Amino acid sequence: MAARAAVFDVDGTLADTNHLHVVAWWEAFRQAGHTVPMPDIHRAVGLGSDDLIERLLGPDRDRAEDAAISSAHKALYGTHFDRLPAFEGAGDLLRTLAGRGWRVVLATSAGGPELAALRRAVDADEAIAGTASSDDVDEGKPSPEPVQLALELAGAEAGQAVFVGDTVWDMEAATRAGVRAVALLSGGIPRADLERAGADAVFRDVADLLARLDESPFTRT
């Protein structure tokens, strides 16, 4: 039987962290002398640091500030590492899928200590077969590269995979990789935006997906 891959974003999908990122980025920009509206930051969460700064400050910014802004965000967000909250049902969903023969792989813009903190919060390492993190790819989402790497790690073809995420960047990355995309509303992005970006199905959060797993794309792949 061909391998089946269940590929998961983490922030906003398995862990309730998107708004922590928004506040950390807002303060990092403020420290650098930039006033960036929080709704704009929220819509950019899920991009890698370089792409997020590019989107919010534009191509005419002083690029010499980028490293300091990114470092400030990491330091500010890092103050939460000991108490990052996983969504209810996150670990149970990963364990259930692994128990049904799916190879669970994380595809996330987090890396290093941040990813380690997120994995501690989700507390389902026994179900996770691999991670495609920002440390492992040249381009983050919406590039398909993280999803493609996740498929390689799982040993699965695109047609035998489902990607679960919460942002338009997740949906676009999955679609470009030829993988069916499941969207969760837990990251705060409107359903219509997620569907326009390629979501095949939309659920409220991981607990809702787990409760309705047998009517989700995970039963049709």
Side-chain angles (χ1 to χ4, degrees):
M1 183 176 179
R4 297 181 300 169
V7 184
F8 281 84
D9 171 61
V10 182
D11 285 299
T13 299
L14 299 175
D16 190 7
T17 50
N18 280 7
H19 290 88
L20 296 176
H21 277 296
V22 170
V23 173
W25 278 116
W26 177 85
E27 177 61 18
F29 285 125
R30 189 198 67 80
Q31 290 178 6
H34 302 285
T35 301
V36 182
M38 288 194 189
D40 292 350
I41 299 173
H42 181 213
R43 286 191 290 270
V45 166
L47 294 172
S49 294
D50 292 343
D51 291 333
L52 183 145
I53 294 170
E54 172 82 12
R55 180 177 178 85
L56 294 172
L57 296 187
D60 297 329
R61 70 190 184 282
D62 180 0
R63 295 174 183 269
E65 295 181 336
D66 287 9
I69 293 172
S70 181
S71 294
H73 163 261
K74 287 181 180 179
L76 290 160
Y77 183 70
T79 63
H80 302 286
F81 279 1
D82 63 345
R83 56 193 186 280
L84 295 179
F87 283 112
E88 181 180 354
D92 290 338
L93 175 59
L94 301 191
R95 284 186 285 270
T96 296
L97 287 168
R100 293 186 180 189
W102 291 81
R103 295 182 183 174
V104 177
V105 181
L106 307 182
T108 173
S109 59
E114 179 183 346
L115 178 55
L118 289 164
R119 290 185 65 153
R120 285 195 299 272
V122 174
D123 192 22
D125 273 359
E126 71 277 14
I128 299 171
T131 59
S133 75
S134 62
D135 299 327
D136 307 314
V137 297
D138 295 322
E139 291 186 78
K141 294 173 280 188
S143 162
E145 187 179 355
V147 181
Q148 291 166 339
L149 176 57
L151 296 181
E152 291 178 22
L153 293 171
E157 299 293 332
Q160 296 297 315
V162 177
F163 180 90
V164 183
D166 69 294
T167 69
V168 296
W169 322 118
D170 292 327
M171 300 302 104
E172 290 177 5
T175 299
R176 292 175 184 178
V179 173
R180 297 193 69 180
V182 170
L184 304 183
L185 300 176
S186 48
I189 302 302
R191 175 188 293 266
D193 292 353
L194 295 165
E195 290 176 338
R196 277 195 297 269
D200 290 304
V202 181
F203 295 85
R204 184 178 65 252
D205 52 24
V206 283
D208 183 37
L209 175 56
L210 177 59
R212 297 197 285 147
L213 198 57
D214 289 337
E215 55 188 89
S216 78
F218 283 103
T219 64
R220 302 192 295 274
T221 300

